[in-house]
Amino acid sequence: MLDIHWLRQHPQEARERLKTRGRGDEALVDRLLDSDGELRAVIRSVEELRAKRNQVSREIGFRQGKEKPSQALLTEMRTLGKTIEEKECQRQRLESEVRDLLLLLPNLPHPTVPIGNGAEANQTIRTWGTPRTFLFPPKPHWEIGEKRELFDFPAAVKLAGSGFALFRGEGARLQRALIRFMLDLHVQEHGYIEIWPPFLVRGEVAIGSGHLPKFAEEMYHIPSDDLYLLPTAELALANLHREETLKEATLPLRYVAYSPCFRREAGSAGKDTRGLLRIHQFEKVELVQITHPDRSYGALEEIVRHAEKVLQLLELPYRITLLCTGDMGFGASKCYDLEVWAPGVGAWLEVSSCSNLEDFQARRMTLRCKPDPAGKSRYCHTLNGSGTALPRIIAALLENHQQEDGRVLLPEAFRAYYPKEFV
């Protein structure tokens, strides 16, 4: 959520920065400020009416001590009360309208983010590893997995319909081993605290993270309980300290969690539908940091390095791209994507997005920090990154390390978790 006080003082800057996202969000600024101006006028009117009512009340009390108050004075008192009641209803409506519009506004892009409308404007920051040269035509992961009986898509369709995957035998074991591998790496080497969160959250948690109301159609909702299935563990981790004021000395807080992720992927029919590239339920290890507002951009570079380490140990060639304004997520102020090379499908696959949301989530969650009991509190900054998402990691692992005989050679650093040389 953006700061309404800042928006009042810098409306043109807000419009210009939001315009670079290319989604027409700048038009919401005018609607918001119009409603906000009307709200403040109503608040002033209520305050003036209450002052007038207090004055009339004192006059009635004074007269009652000496004589009967006039009918005109009593009528004025009743009229003031009714008008205040009507104005209060108008105030509540406008407060709700202002908040709803604030919740729909995306974050402002950081000045260092390149301006552009799509992936073509993203900037490659660095690459790691060299894509392998094959002496045979590399196969896509779904052919490898089906031949080795690692997953069974027809069985998944039978159970849940299209857009789901079922892992079996060594495929299920591989997925479980990757989860343990990533969690241990981030806890033991990178200093994160492991969390095992509920996989269902309340609506206010999704509002706090920025997923509601904007992405309601993308989320699985259970109306009878008014709970949402996690689209990412970020929702749970970022909200762990909602409505709290943290001591600055305790920051940064680093949390890591595994969770299944559930996404309806509304509007993406027909896109990347083969294999594991786009499914409604997938596994992910998520990283979240809560930091002091002056140190969040150093934390962003750190969280990128932590996600990179997973790819390096799995010996997967990758590149890091700085996303342009039109390609960033709703809550991000600055975002890097980590993409692995998948030779079987001949494409770079995003396996992690690392974002600094600055105080965008903290304002929605009322999450603050302060230096000491007497110091002034400030909103924390929150960051998140996948550390990493499994379906595409598995796809890249199978495709990059496939052998001509159909087996898959596992990276040496991973064999402590999957004690075989080959899948």
Side-chain angles (χ1 to χ4, degrees), residues 305-320:
R305 292 194 298 271
H306 294 163
E308 279 187 272
K309 188 67 173 179
V310 173
L311 308 182
Q312 292 170 4
L313 291 174
L314 293 178
E315 300 174 17
L316 298 175
Y318 66 87
R319 67 184 183 185
I320 298 176

Side-chain angles (χ1 to χ4, degrees), residues 383-412:
L383 305 96
N384 65 73
S386 304
T388 56
L390 266 77
R392 294 180 178 182
I393 284 289
I394 291 177
L397 195 67
L398 297 179
E399 293 186 12
N400 278 281
H401 299 312
Q402 63 181 291
Q403 306 299 302
E404 191 168 9
D405 62 4
R407 295 184 299 169
V408 178
L409 178 65
L410 292 175
E412 188 172 345

Side-chain angles (χ1 to χ4, degrees), residues 116-161:
N117 291 325
E120 66 282 353
N122 295 340
Q123 296 179 0
T124 299
I125 302 301
R126 60 181 177 272
T127 62
W128 185 92
T130 302
R132 175 183 165 191
T133 300
F134 287 82
L135 300 178
F136 59 92
K139 296 179 179 178
H141 63 277
W142 56 83
E143 290 186 16
I144 300 169
E146 288 172 350
K147 181 178 180 180
R148 310 305 296 184
E149 296 185 337
L150 304 179
F151 31 76
D152 186 338
F153 291 109
V157 171
K158 185 189 302 183
L159 295 174

